[in-house]
Amino acid sequence: MVSRSYSNLLELASGETPSFDRLSRRIPRIMTVAGIISDLDNDLSESVCSDPSSSVQRERIIIVANQLPIRAQRKSDGRGWIFSWDENSLLLQLRDGLGDDEIDVIYVGCLKEEIHVNEQDEVSHILLESFKCVPTFLPPDLFSRYYHEFCKQQLWPLFHYMLPLSPDLGGRFNRSLWQAYVSVNKIFADRIMEVINPEDDFVWVHDYHLMVLPTFLRKRFNRVKLGFFLHSPFPSSEIYKTLPIREELLRALLNSDLIGFHTFDYARHFLSCCSRMLGLTYESKRGYIGLEYYGRTVSIKILPVGIHMGQLQSVLSLTETEAKVAELIKQFRDQGKIMLLGVDDMDIFKGISLKLLAMEQLLVQHPEWQGKVVLVQIANPARGRGRDVREVQAETYSTVERINQTFGRPGYDPIVLIDEPLKFYERIAYYVVAECCLVTAVRDGMNLIPYEYIISRQGNEKLDKVLGLEPSSPKKSMLVVSEFIGCSPSLSGAIRVNPWNIDAVADAMDCALEMADQEKQLRHEKHYRYVSTHDVGYWARSFLQDLERTCREHVRRRCWGIGFGLSFRVVALDPNFKKLSMEHIVSAYKQTTKRAILLDYDGTLMPQGSIDKSPNTKTIDILNSLCRDKNNMVFLVSARSRSKLAEWFSPCEKLGIAAEHGYFLRLRRDTEWETCIPVADCSWKQIAEPVMKLYTETTDGSTIEDKETALVWCYEDADPDFGSCQAKELLDHLESVLANEPVTVKSGQNLVEVKPQGVSKGLVAKRLLTTMQERGMSPDFVLCIGDDRSDEDMFEVITSSMTGPTIAPSAEVFACTVGKKPSKAKYYLDDTVEIFRLMQGLASVAEQMVTM
């Protein structure tokens, strides 16, 4: 279901007041059958509902990334273009896991080359027809501000833990560049809308260049099946929260159905940011991590990407590769030299200079390796541009020159720097010959260099002959990898190092050189088993399976959009869940004669954020107005103590009160307090209270509330992550020490509570309905309002009683929760303000009926 409101997200991104229109512009074209594009009119329902008679039989996935997996080359005569697949692109390689016979793949992204405006239509047609690619054309100035300035100078450094503490250290936040970023994401969304069949297609968005794209797509198609994978690190909350548009990016990502990360650390940081900045909590069910976000479950996927085995093996089989391997053997091994290899992009986070310093330290500490060990450093061109890249290049060149001058001799340079682009087979040849591969990046999202090295060292029969190995001889490889790269956790046989510790890296290099062959073989076998089975196809297949699982509930949910601009999100709830109408309930109130009204207090009549929790005079007047009608039984049901409730509501003579979740109750002010269950033995407090005190002392901001029959540990003012962690520990601790006591231990919103077994607000609802039945006044009107998990017990009792004798057969029953969220209630109101208005309306009607 599509939201019928529209706001200009670009204006909002710039800080301006959003403007609204009535969707007067035409909706982009929608592809309903592969290859057939039809223009639809301005009716929203037509744009989101596919005609069953024309729907495609095969599943289809739209893969969206900053760059298409396409190479473009000008024809020799300068007229037109020649296009081909980029075999090295991850986006192309992941198709292996999807199955060409089962799924159609459409790509949306930019070309590396700039296409003139006059050629764009022709190029779009060629790419769609021949490659199923939808190119996104961006003006050069916009692309530069979006990619080179915002993505590469602001997002990318921050996600790699580099704060712009000074103008020299990364780019300071610039709102005009942010606006350019949002503009480009909007252009991508427009291109997707031209080809999407929203009821059937899956959309998979890749990387930090397109982090707000999910909001544009979710706003246009509320039920879009949308996955997002972040290929860079996600920083800790301490770093991320410095970003001025931190909440906008989080909310945009949460408009996805599935969010993928390479490592648990990255996912943990994202979840921590959601907790600290948005107040969201996550839980793990049957191995799947999920965030509840306005009735939608946003799933979290943790799986590192793999390599394309077929491509690597085919390159290993090339005669060019064999020739290059033979050349390198002659250059190094036949000269008595051992090759160490580094392959990195020339950027500030790859740690090239640290690696060079470690090589220097190795030669100083272990002079026996001088003249024998050579570090070949392949420096790929940087993807970004700027002063930081030039500084890295200058430092690298000067360091190489200094080390070679110090330790070099005729026929021997300890470091060979290759800073020109190599063909893929040439790089593979270096992998085959290298005894050890060094990856010492100070921060990297994944880095597949170690995986490529492992497969290359496995080789094949032809390469074995070139290397002089027996066909059946076991292979060996050694890896020295940084702790700060995404592939590190999956390579348990590698020597992990802190790249900032030059001595440790040098020791690791020496260890790799000295290690026994048998140990190297065992480590290689372990790595090869993992890398060969967890390839890019496995990764893509696993991600899509989880995306399908996450989206299964879409058709069963009623969806609508709320919020403006980049705060837009979709509420997805049960089809029968609807907003409580004032007109409906007032009409029902007037037409009924016996009424039961149950009201929660905190979070329902009283806002959660209020410091003064005592009721105001207006609340007291409303309750008294309802109680004056002899046909009404009004109950206030709260977790608070009976002494506090009795004090606050002493002006309400006829109000029934249930305290401590219903353990104590009284039907009116002049009656004695009763208990819903036999009087509890509270000797268990002597066990529980010392435990809670221990956690209070170690958790700053936490408190203990001692009630007559319950103990509550509250951590509302504690650090959200630490408080939540301590609450889980306390819950387990209390369940263990109180296992033989007649109590239950439950967690709630920012609290852990111990209370007698069998006590719940549901008991109050049963007691009220039973009392009214015994008095011969079975209610034909029931209103129950609450806001949290404890109130669900009341909703359940009332709903189940509709078929029983305690409620009249034709009764009007209104179970209402506060806020749009999954609930056993059938109705909702947005907040305490709306509840107050509703209660004022009912009180006014009650006054009129009493005076009639």
Side-chain angles (χ1 to χ4, degrees), residues 617-640:
T617 55
K618 289 183 179 179
T619 302
I620 297 294
D621 291 342
I622 287 171
L623 293 173
N624 279 330
S625 296
L626 291 171
C627 291
R628 284 191 195 100
D629 190 333
K630 64 180 185 303
N631 294 317
N632 293 346
M633 284 199 71
V634 184
F635 247 90
L636 189 77
V637 188
S638 173
R640 291 189 175 274

PDB file of all heavy atoms in Angstrom, residues 617-640:
ATOM      1  N   THR A 617      -5.183  17.664  37.673  1.00  0.00           N
ATOM      2  CA  THR A 617      -6.610  17.809  38.024  1.00  0.00           C
ATOM      3  C   THR A 617      -7.521  17.408  36.868  1.00  0.00           C
ATOM      4  O   THR A 617      -8.617  16.890  37.097  1.00  0.00           O
ATOM      5  CB  THR A 617      -6.906  19.266  38.418  1.00  0.00           C
ATOM      6  OG1 THR A 617      -6.483  20.147  37.370  1.00  0.00           O
ATOM      7  CG2 THR A 617      -6.166  19.636  39.707  1.00  0.00           C
ATOM      8  N   LYS A 618      -7.089  17.635  35.636  1.00  0.00           N
ATOM      9  CA  LYS A 618      -7.916  17.247  34.478  1.00  0.00           C
ATOM     10  C   LYS A 618      -8.104  15.734  34.424  1.00  0.00           C
ATOM     11  O   LYS A 618      -9.198  15.241  34.146  1.00  0.00           O
ATOM     12  CB  LYS A 618      -7.277  17.755  33.186  1.00  0.00           C
ATOM     13  CG  LYS A 618      -7.344  19.262  33.011  1.00  0.00           C
ATOM     14  CD  LYS A 618      -6.751  19.681  31.661  1.00  0.00           C
ATOM     15  CE  LYS A 618      -6.842  21.196  31.486  1.00  0.00           C
ATOM     16  NZ  LYS A 618      -6.255  21.645  30.202  1.00  0.00           N
ATOM     17  N   THR A 619      -7.040  14.992  34.703  1.00  0.00           N
ATOM     18  CA  THR A 619      -7.140  13.526  34.717  1.00  0.00           C
ATOM     19  C   THR A 619      -8.100  13.068  35.808  1.00  0.00           C
ATOM     20  O   THR A 619      -8.945  12.185  35.593  1.00  0.00           O
ATOM     21  CB  THR A 619      -5.745  12.898  34.935  1.00  0.00           C
ATOM     22  OG1 THR A 619      -4.868  13.333  33.895  1.00  0.00           O
ATOM     23  CG2 THR A 619      -5.824  11.380  34.924  1.00  0.00           C
ATOM     24  N   ILE A 620      -7.977  13.680  36.996  1.00  0.00           N
ATOM     25  CA  ILE A 620      -8.880  13.328  38.101  1.00  0.00           C
ATOM     26  C   ILE A 620     -10.328  13.632  37.719  1.00  0.00           C
ATOM     27  O   ILE A 620     -11.244  12.820  37.972  1.00  0.00           O
ATOM     28  CB  ILE A 620      -8.482  14.103  39.375  1.00  0.00           C
ATOM     29  CG1 ILE A 620      -7.059  13.716  39.835  1.00  0.00           C
ATOM     30  CG2 ILE A 620      -9.500  13.869  40.485  1.00  0.00           C
ATOM     31  CD1 ILE A 620      -6.913  12.288  40.288  1.00  0.00           C
ATOM     32  N   ASP A 621     -10.575  14.780  37.107  1.00  0.00           N
ATOM     33  CA  ASP A 621     -11.937  15.159  36.711  1.00  0.00           C
ATOM     34  C   ASP A 621     -12.516  14.179  35.691  1.00  0.00           C
ATOM     35  O   ASP A 621     -13.695  13.809  35.751  1.00  0.00           O
ATOM     36  CB  ASP A 621     -11.943  16.576  36.121  1.00  0.00           C
ATOM     37  CG  ASP A 621     -11.656  17.645  37.173  1.00  0.00           C
ATOM     38  OD1 ASP A 621     -11.792  17.329  38.378  1.00  0.00           O
ATOM     39  OD2 ASP A 621     -11.297  18.774  36.793  1.00  0.00           O
ATOM     40  N   ILE A 622     -11.689  13.754  34.728  1.00  0.00           N
ATOM     41  CA  ILE A 622     -12.148  12.799  33.710  1.00  0.00           C
ATOM     42  C   ILE A 622     -12.558  11.487  34.369  1.00  0.00           C
ATOM     43  O   ILE A 622     -13.633  10.931  34.086  1.00  0.00           O
ATOM     44  CB  ILE A 622     -11.045  12.565  32.660  1.00  0.00           C
ATOM     45  CG1 ILE A 622     -10.898  13.793  31.758  1.00  0.00           C
ATOM     46  CG2 ILE A 622     -11.346  11.328  31.818  1.00  0.00           C
ATOM     47  CD1 ILE A 622      -9.689  13.732  30.843  1.00  0.00           C
ATOM     48  N   LEU A 623     -11.715  10.974  35.271  1.00  0.00           N
ATOM     49  CA  LEU A 623     -12.025   9.704  35.935  1.00  0.00           C
ATOM     50  C   LEU A 623     -13.284   9.829  36.793  1.00  0.00           C
ATOM     51  O   LEU A 623     -14.135   8.920  36.806  1.00  0.00           O
ATOM     52  CB  LEU A 623     -10.835   9.260  36.782  1.00  0.00           C
ATOM     53  CG  LEU A 623      -9.564   8.876  35.999  1.00  0.00           C
ATOM     54  CD1 LEU A 623      -8.402   8.616  36.961  1.00  0.00           C
ATOM     55  CD2 LEU A 623      -9.804   7.647  35.128  1.00  0.00           C
ATOM     56  N   ASN A 624     -13.445  10.934  37.499  1.00  0.00           N
ATOM     57  CA  ASN A 624     -14.641  11.125  38.322  1.00  0.00           C
ATOM     58  C   ASN A 624     -15.907  11.220  37.472  1.00  0.00           C
ATOM     59  O   ASN A 624     -16.964  10.707  37.842  1.00  0.00           O
ATOM     60  CB  ASN A 624     -14.495  12.372  39.192  1.00  0.00           C
ATOM     61  CG  ASN A 624     -13.672  12.104  40.442  1.00  0.00           C
ATOM     62  OD1 ASN A 624     -13.668  10.983  40.957  1.00  0.00           O
ATOM     63  ND2 ASN A 624     -12.964  13.113  40.938  1.00  0.00           N
ATOM     64  N   SER A 625     -15.795  11.866  36.310  1.00  0.00           N
ATOM     65  CA  SER A 625     -16.950  11.974  35.410  1.00  0.00           C
ATOM     66  C   SER A 625     -17.401  10.596  34.946  1.00  0.00           C
ATOM     67  O   SER A 625     -18.605  10.308  34.890  1.00  0.00           O
ATOM     68  CB  SER A 625     -16.609  12.842  34.193  1.00  0.00           C
ATOM     69  OG  SER A 625     -16.326  14.165  34.576  1.00  0.00           O
ATOM     70  N   LEU A 626     -16.445   9.736  34.623  1.00  0.00           N
ATOM     71  CA  LEU A 626     -16.795   8.383  34.178  1.00  0.00           C
ATOM     72  C   LEU A 626     -17.352   7.550  35.335  1.00  0.00           C
ATOM     73  O   LEU A 626     -18.259   6.729  35.151  1.00  0.00           O
ATOM     74  CB  LEU A 626     -15.561   7.694  33.579  1.00  0.00           C
ATOM     75  CG  LEU A 626     -15.052   8.265  32.246  1.00  0.00           C
ATOM     76  CD1 LEU A 626     -13.706   7.656  31.882  1.00  0.00           C
ATOM     77  CD2 LEU A 626     -16.070   7.986  31.135  1.00  0.00           C
ATOM     78  N   CYS A 627     -16.809   7.763  36.531  1.00  0.00           N
ATOM     79  CA  CYS A 627     -17.240   6.966  37.685  1.00  0.00           C
ATOM     80  C   CYS A 627     -18.638   7.371  38.185  1.00  0.00           C
ATOM     81  O   CYS A 627     -19.317   6.570  38.854  1.00  0.00           O
ATOM     82  CB  CYS A 627     -16.234   7.106  38.828  1.00  0.00           C
ATOM     83  SG  CYS A 627     -14.637   6.315  38.502  1.00  0.00           S
ATOM     84  N   ARG A 628     -19.079   8.603  37.909  1.00  0.00           N
ATOM     85  CA  ARG A 628     -20.384   9.050  38.395  1.00  0.00           C
ATOM     86  C   ARG A 628     -21.534   8.262  37.781  1.00  0.00           C
ATOM     87  O   ARG A 628     -22.605   8.147  38.370  1.00  0.00           O
ATOM     88  CB  ARG A 628     -20.570  10.535  38.095  1.00  0.00           C
ATOM     89  CG  ARG A 628     -19.796  11.451  39.035  1.00  0.00           C
ATOM     90  CD  ARG A 628     -20.205  12.901  38.897  1.00  0.00           C
ATOM     91  NE  ARG A 628     -19.220  13.766  39.530  1.00  0.00           N
ATOM     92  CZ  ARG A 628     -18.280  14.428  38.880  1.00  0.00           C
ATOM     93  NH1 ARG A 628     -18.227  14.360  37.556  1.00  0.00           N
ATOM     94  NH2 ARG A 628     -17.416  15.173  39.528  1.00  0.00           N
ATOM     95  N   ASP A 629     -21.309   7.764  36.582  1.00  0.00           N
ATOM     96  CA  ASP A 629     -22.350   6.963  35.932  1.00  0.00           C
ATOM     97  C   ASP A 629     -22.390   5.593  36.605  1.00  0.00           C
ATOM     98  O   ASP A 629     -21.415   4.839  36.578  1.00  0.00           O
ATOM     99  CB  ASP A 629     -22.039   6.829  34.437  1.00  0.00           C
ATOM    100  CG  ASP A 629     -23.196   6.229  33.655  1.00  0.00           C
ATOM    101  OD1 ASP A 629     -23.989   5.463  34.255  1.00  0.00           O
ATOM    102  OD2 ASP A 629     -23.303   6.510  32.448  1.00  0.00           O
ATOM    103  N   LYS A 630     -23.547   5.274  37.238  1.00  0.00           N
ATOM    104  CA  LYS A 630     -23.667   4.017  37.984  1.00  0.00           C
ATOM    105  C   LYS A 630     -23.556   2.790  37.094  1.00  0.00           C
ATOM    106  O   LYS A 630     -23.362   1.659  37.580  1.00  0.00           O
ATOM    107  CB  LYS A 630     -24.991   3.995  38.741  1.00  0.00           C
ATOM    108  CG  LYS A 630     -26.226   3.994  37.859  1.00  0.00           C
ATOM    109  CD  LYS A 630     -27.489   3.967  38.685  1.00  0.00           C
ATOM    110  CE  LYS A 630     -28.763   3.843  37.853  1.00  0.00           C
ATOM    111  NZ  LYS A 630     -28.916   4.917  36.850  1.00  0.00           N
ATOM    112  N   ASN A 631     -23.682   2.994  35.773  1.00  0.00           N
ATOM    113  CA  ASN A 631     -23.562   1.871  34.835  1.00  0.00           C
ATOM    114  C   ASN A 631     -22.114   1.585  34.439  1.00  0.00           C
ATOM    115  O   ASN A 631     -21.855   0.678  33.659  1.00  0.00           O
ATOM    116  CB  ASN A 631     -24.383   2.148  33.568  1.00  0.00           C
ATOM    117  CG  ASN A 631     -25.871   2.198  33.857  1.00  0.00           C
ATOM    118  OD1 ASN A 631     -26.382   1.354  34.601  1.00  0.00           O
ATOM    119  ND2 ASN A 631     -26.560   3.187  33.296  1.00  0.00           N
ATOM    120  N   ASN A 632     -21.203   2.385  34.972  1.00  0.00           N
ATOM    121  CA  ASN A 632     -19.782   2.198  34.630  1.00  0.00           C
ATOM    122  C   ASN A 632     -19.017   1.593  35.796  1.00  0.00           C
ATOM    123  O   ASN A 632     -19.255   1.937  36.953  1.00  0.00           O
ATOM    124  CB  ASN A 632     -19.124   3.549  34.290  1.00  0.00           C
ATOM    125  CG  ASN A 632     -19.667   4.152  33.017  1.00  0.00           C
ATOM    126  OD1 ASN A 632     -20.343   3.488  32.235  1.00  0.00           O
ATOM    127  ND2 ASN A 632     -19.363   5.432  32.800  1.00  0.00           N
ATOM    128  N   MET A 633     -18.095   0.685  35.477  1.00  0.00           N
ATOM    129  CA  MET A 633     -17.081   0.248  36.435  1.00  0.00           C
ATOM    130  C   MET A 633     -15.728   0.599  35.835  1.00  0.00           C
ATOM    131  O   MET A 633     -15.343   0.062  34.798  1.00  0.00           O
ATOM    132  CB  MET A 633     -17.178  -1.256  36.716  1.00  0.00           C
ATOM    133  CG  MET A 633     -18.342  -1.621  37.633  1.00  0.00           C
ATOM    134  SD  MET A 633     -18.160  -3.252  38.404  1.00  0.00           S
ATOM    135  CE  MET A 633     -16.853  -2.966  39.576  1.00  0.00           C
ATOM    136  N   VAL A 634     -15.036   1.539  36.497  1.00  0.00           N
ATOM    137  CA  VAL A 634     -13.768   2.046  35.977  1.00  0.00           C
ATOM    138  C   VAL A 634     -12.636   1.551  36.872  1.00  0.00           C
ATOM    139  O   VAL A 634     -12.685   1.726  38.086  1.00  0.00           O
ATOM    140  CB  VAL A 634     -13.771   3.589  35.918  1.00  0.00           C
ATOM    141  CG1 VAL A 634     -12.473   4.093  35.283  1.00  0.00           C
ATOM    142  CG2 VAL A 634     -14.987   4.103  35.158  1.00  0.00           C
ATOM    143  N   PHE A 635     -11.612   0.956  36.247  1.00  0.00           N
ATOM    144  CA  PHE A 635     -10.469   0.418  36.986  1.00  0.00           C
ATOM    145  C   PHE A 635      -9.170   1.021  36.438  1.00  0.00           C
ATOM    146  O   PHE A 635      -8.968   1.079  35.224  1.00  0.00           O
ATOM    147  CB  PHE A 635     -10.402  -1.105  36.848  1.00  0.00           C
ATOM    148  CG  PHE A 635     -10.664  -1.833  38.136  1.00  0.00           C
ATOM    149  CD1 PHE A 635     -11.947  -2.198  38.492  1.00  0.00           C
ATOM    150  CD2 PHE A 635      -9.621  -2.139  38.997  1.00  0.00           C
ATOM    151  CE1 PHE A 635     -12.200  -2.867  39.676  1.00  0.00           C
ATOM    152  CE2 PHE A 635      -9.860  -2.804  40.185  1.00  0.00           C
ATOM    153  CZ  PHE A 635     -11.148  -3.174  40.531  1.00  0.00           C
ATOM    154  N   LEU A 636      -8.330   1.465  37.352  1.00  0.00           N
ATOM    155  CA  LEU A 636      -6.987   1.887  36.999  1.00  0.00           C
ATOM    156  C   LEU A 636      -6.048   0.736  37.343  1.00  0.00           C
ATOM    157  O   LEU A 636      -6.022   0.289  38.493  1.00  0.00           O
ATOM    158  CB  LEU A 636      -6.589   3.139  37.777  1.00  0.00           C
ATOM    159  CG  LEU A 636      -5.289   3.801  37.345  1.00  0.00           C
ATOM    160  CD1 LEU A 636      -5.509   4.583  36.058  1.00  0.00           C
ATOM    161  CD2 LEU A 636      -4.769   4.741  38.429  1.00  0.00           C
ATOM    162  N   VAL A 637      -5.307   0.259  36.354  1.00  0.00           N
ATOM    163  CA  VAL A 637      -4.441  -0.913  36.548  1.00  0.00           C
ATOM    164  C   VAL A 637      -2.993  -0.482  36.336  1.00  0.00           C
ATOM    165  O   VAL A 637      -2.622  -0.027  35.259  1.00  0.00           O
ATOM    166  CB  VAL A 637      -4.808  -2.035  35.556  1.00  0.00           C
ATOM    167  CG1 VAL A 637      -4.046  -3.306  35.900  1.00  0.00           C
ATOM    168  CG2 VAL A 637      -6.306  -2.291  35.564  1.00  0.00           C
ATOM    169  N   SER A 638      -2.178  -0.627  37.386  1.00  0.00           N
ATOM    170  CA  SER A 638      -0.818  -0.095  37.316  1.00  0.00           C
ATOM    171  C   SER A 638       0.171  -1.025  37.997  1.00  0.00           C
ATOM    172  O   SER A 638      -0.209  -1.867  38.823  1.00  0.00           O
ATOM    173  CB  SER A 638      -0.767   1.289  37.985  1.00  0.00           C
ATOM    174  OG  SER A 638       0.552   1.772  38.079  1.00  0.00           O
ATOM    175  N   ALA A 639       1.443  -0.846  37.643  1.00  0.00           N
ATOM    176  CA  ALA A 639       2.502  -1.598  38.314  1.00  0.00           C
ATOM    177  C   ALA A 639       2.979  -0.888  39.573  1.00  0.00           C
ATOM    178  O   ALA A 639       3.770  -1.437  40.341  1.00  0.00           O
ATOM    179  CB  ALA A 639       3.689  -1.774  37.363  1.00  0.00           C
ATOM    180  N   ARG A 640       2.481   0.310  39.823  1.00  0.00           N
ATOM    181  CA  ARG A 640       2.928   1.085  40.979  1.00  0.00           C
ATOM    182  C   ARG A 640       2.380   0.508  42.292  1.00  0.00           C
ATOM    183  O   ARG A 640       1.442  -0.294  42.295  1.00  0.00           O
ATOM    184  CB  ARG A 640       2.513   2.542  40.825  1.00  0.00           C
ATOM    185  CG  ARG A 640       3.275   3.256  39.710  1.00  0.00           C
ATOM    186  CD  ARG A 640       3.025   4.743  39.709  1.00  0.00           C
ATOM    187  NE  ARG A 640       3.860   5.411  38.706  1.00  0.00           N
ATOM    188  CZ  ARG A 640       5.094   5.821  38.905  1.00  0.00           C
ATOM    189  NH1 ARG A 640       5.646   5.659  40.101  1.00  0.00           N
ATOM    190  NH2 ARG A 640       5.779   6.410  37.950  1.00  0.00           N
TER     191      ARG A 640
END
